[in-house]
Amino acid sequence: MSNPPISLTVSDVNRLVKTSLMEVDGLKNIWVKGEVSNFSQTSSSGHMYFSLKDNLSVIKCAFFSFQSKNYKGRPIKNGMELRIFGSISVYEPGGYYSFSVQKVEELGEGDILLQIERLKATLSEKGIFDPMRKKPLPKYPIRLGIATSPKGAAVEDIIRIATDLNPTIQILVSPCLVQGDEAPKSIRLAIEALNDPKWEVDVIIAGRGGGSFEDLMAFNTEEVTMAFFHSKVPIISAVGHEIDRVLSDLSADATAPTPTAAAKLAIPNVTDILIRIQETEDRLDRSLGHLTKFNREKLHGITSRSVFQNPMTLLETRVIGIDEVMNRLSLLGKTLLLQKRNDFNKSEILNDRIIQQINRKRQLFELSHNRVQHFSPLGTLSRGYSVVRDSKKQVISSTEQIELNQMVELILGKGRVMAEIKEKIKE
């Protein structure tokens, strides 16, 4: 009977791996270059931890304080391109390998970060990040749309928080990839689907949970950034943790540091609203009570007046006043009528006197007219006589004043005639 194989512990395996890797000369005292991501520094010890990556792979690095104190370059940050010197080491308790950094040389800005900064500048010039273009979030949404991975913790956190805040909220999930080469298109299509009017979505949360710089790259692409910008439904960008900042945060209508915070931002707390409604109702009840009491007292004060107790007293006063006015008017009318009658009588007497005077004047006029007519040349002419005048209007009283064939004017009692002298007869 053969002996059973010896079983190794996890620690044994990790120790063997460490020993094997550290004995490889090709992994000791080597230079490695790449772009920095996921940089962090322990404040108490001063140790620096970051990842170094290229287009295909990532390696974790540790730059301990006893080595980093000799570094004189610019502060290390994400996106920097570095050349680091050191060796591969294995962290046995965690079961992973990393690169123990001894020396760091800066090569320049990383290509990926530069591309993001260039895209950010281009979109900013187009006004994509203009705060004036952002839509306000609805105060009381009925239906919430979520664009994220259906398998991640983000969607569970959003649904849990949203339903806790408002148990009646309707939730519509549009699943999509949130990392990888296909993620940008998938996120865009998910946002566009939630914008379909038939779903009647009031607000959208799009994003994912935390991750490395590389994990969040989909939300730094132009396709996703513009999908946030073109969303007709107000949209919240909820990507990563508070230290992460992606381009979709800038083009969204609102930004939350985490999906949980996005749910709190999008959905009002129904309990708080009900409390405010109850407080408002109580204030209205008190206000209406005070107003009712005030108006009741005011009404009582008005109705207790004598005029309301016996309204006829008000009419009696008015009737008496009207009677007095009517009496005064009647008396005044009679007085005026009597005065006018006296004036009329006086005018009749005056009229008679005027007629008498006119008659006397007419008689005197006729008498004077007759006398004038009697002594007037016209009166003589009317009895058959006439007056002869020459062309110079001189009266002719003798035949010696005229010549034969001379034209003369004869003035008759009625009218005038012209005559030519044909013959002169002496008396």
Side-chain angles (χ1 to χ4, degrees):
M1 183 176 180
S2 60
N3 295 325
I6 300 175
S7 297
L8 300 176
T9 64
V10 174
S11 298
D12 292 335
V13 174
N14 286 344
R15 190 175 303 111
L16 289 173
V17 172
K18 179 178 180 180
T19 302
S20 300
L21 289 177
M22 296 185 68
E23 288 180 354
V24 178
D25 292 337
L27 299 178
K28 293 186 293 184
N29 300 322
I30 57 175
W31 287 95
V32 181
K33 70 176 181 178
E35 184 179 330
V36 176
S37 64
N38 300 318
F39 176 82
S40 65
Q41 184 173 8
T42 305
S43 58
S44 58
S45 62
H47 303 322
M48 301 180 189
Y49 300 95
F50 57 89
S51 297
L52 205 66
K53 63 185 181 66
D54 56 19
N55 294 332
L56 299 177
S57 301
V58 178
I59 185 173
K60 294 183 177 181
C61 304
F63 196 12
F64 297 110
S65 58
F66 55 85
Q67 297 285 3
S68 63
K69 65 182 180 180
N70 298 319
Y71 175 63
K72 304 300 182 183
R74 291 192 304 165
I76 299 174
K77 63 179 181 178
N78 291 333
M80 291 179 64
E81 190 173 358
L82 301 179
R83 194 166 76 109
I84 58 176
F85 178 81
S87 303
I88 293 295
S89 66
V90 176
Y91 181 62
E92 290 185 36
Y96 63 85
Y97 76 91
S98 64
F99 193 86
S100 179
V101 182
Q102 301 176 25
K103 187 187 300 183
V104 173
E105 293 181 359
E106 182 182 355
L107 296 179
E109 293 287 344
D111 292 339
I112 296 178
L113 188 59
L114 280 176
Q115 292 174 8
I116 295 174
E117 289 299 323
R118 291 193 189 102
L119 177 59
K120 179 180 178 181
T122 300
L123 296 179
S124 180
E125 290 178 358
K126 295 180 180 179
I128 303 302
F129 307 140
D130 186 357
M132 299 301 294
R133 294 190 175 187
K134 297 185 183 297
K135 299 178 287 295
L137 301 181
K139 290 186 177 180
Y140 307 107
I142 298 176
R143 179 168 295 177
L144 169 66
I146 305 174
T148 189
S149 172
K151 298 180 180 179
V155 66
E156 297 178 359
D157 292 340
I158 294 174
I159 294 174
R160 175 175 54 82
I161 296 298
T163 51
D164 287 345
L165 293 172
N166 182 5
T168 64
I169 189 69
Q170 301 175 19
I171 299 176
L172 185 64
V173 178
S174 182
C176 60
L177 300 174
V178 293
Q179 67 183 70
D181 295 338
E182 300 298 324
K185 180 179 179 181
S186 180
I187 296 171
R188 174 179 60 80
L189 293 176
I191 293 175
E192 291 176 353
L194 293 174
N195 270 267
D196 192 328
K198 69 180 180 181
W199 301 121
E200 298 180 348
V201 174
D202 298 307
V203 63
I204 298 173
I205 297 176
R208 55 159 294 157
S212 65
F213 179 80
E214 294 78 13
D215 295 337
L216 307 182
M217 275 303 299
F219 295 90
N220 278 318
T221 61
E222 182 176 3
E223 185 173 8
V224 173
T225 303
M226 295 305 295
F228 274 76
F229 175 75
H230 288 303
S231 176
K232 291 185 173 68
V233 178
I235 186 168
I236 302 172
S237 176
V239 182
H241 299 293
E242 294 187 15
I243 60 173
D244 299 315
R245 187 69 169 173
V246 292
L247 296 184
S248 63
D249 291 343
L250 303 177
S251 63
D253 297 310
T255 304
T258 63
T260 299
K264 294 179 180 179
L265 180 62
I267 309 301
N269 191 329
V270 173
T271 302
D272 293 340
I273 295 174
L274 293 176
I275 292 174
R276 288 198 296 272
I277 292 175
Q278 184 61 49
E279 292 175 349
T280 304
E281 184 179 351
D282 293 340
R283 288 197 298 270
L284 287 174
D285 287 342
R286 289 193 296 270
S287 298
L288 288 174
H290 293 322
L291 184 61
T292 303
K293 181 180 178 182
F294 172 78
N295 288 329
R296 184 181 293 113
E297 293 175 352
K298 186 176 181 180
L299 179 62
H300 177 71
I302 294 174
T303 55
S304 61
R305 296 177 183 176
S306 59
V307 66
F308 286 97
Q309 298 295 328
N310 186 11
M312 292 304 298
T313 57
L314 181 62
L315 294 177
E316 290 172 358
T317 303
R318 297 291 187 272
V319 170
I320 294 173
I322 291 173
D323 288 343
E324 291 179 352
V325 172
M326 293 300 295
N327 290 333
R328 288 197 296 270
L329 288 174
S330 177
L331 181 60
L332 180 62
K334 290 179 180 179
T335 303
L336 182 61
L337 181 62
L338 181 61
Q339 181 181 353
K340 295 301 180 182
R341 181 179 291 116
N342 292 334
D343 292 342
F344 179 75
N345 292 334
K346 290 179 181 179
S347 64
E348 284 186 342
I349 295 172
L350 180 60
N351 184 59
D352 292 340
R353 291 179 180 177
I354 292 173
I355 291 173
Q356 293 174 2
Q357 187 70 16
I358 291 173
N359 289 334
R360 286 197 296 270
K361 295 297 183 181
R362 180 181 291 112
Q363 292 173 0
L364 291 175
F365 174 77
E366 290 177 354
L367 180 61
S368 299
H369 178 266
N370 291 333
R371 289 177 180 177
V372 171
Q373 285 288 93
H374 181 72
F375 293 103
S376 171
L378 295 177
T380 302
L381 293 177
S382 64
R383 292 194 297 272
Y385 295 93
S386 64
V387 177
V388 180
R389 295 191 306 181
D390 59 14
S391 59
K392 296 180 180 180
K393 305 300 181 182
Q394 298 295 323
V395 175
I396 299 172
S397 60
S398 172
T399 57
E400 296 179 353
Q401 293 179 271
I402 58 176
E403 302 292 335
L404 291 176
N405 300 323
Q406 180 180 345
M407 296 299 295
V408 294
E409 177 185 18
L410 301 179
I411 300 175
L412 307 176
K414 292 183 179 180
R416 295 177 300 169
V417 295
M418 298 299 295
E420 181 181 356
I421 302 301
K422 297 294 184 179
E423 180 181 3
K424 293 174 38 175
I425 302 173
K426 297 180 180 181
E427 291 184 10

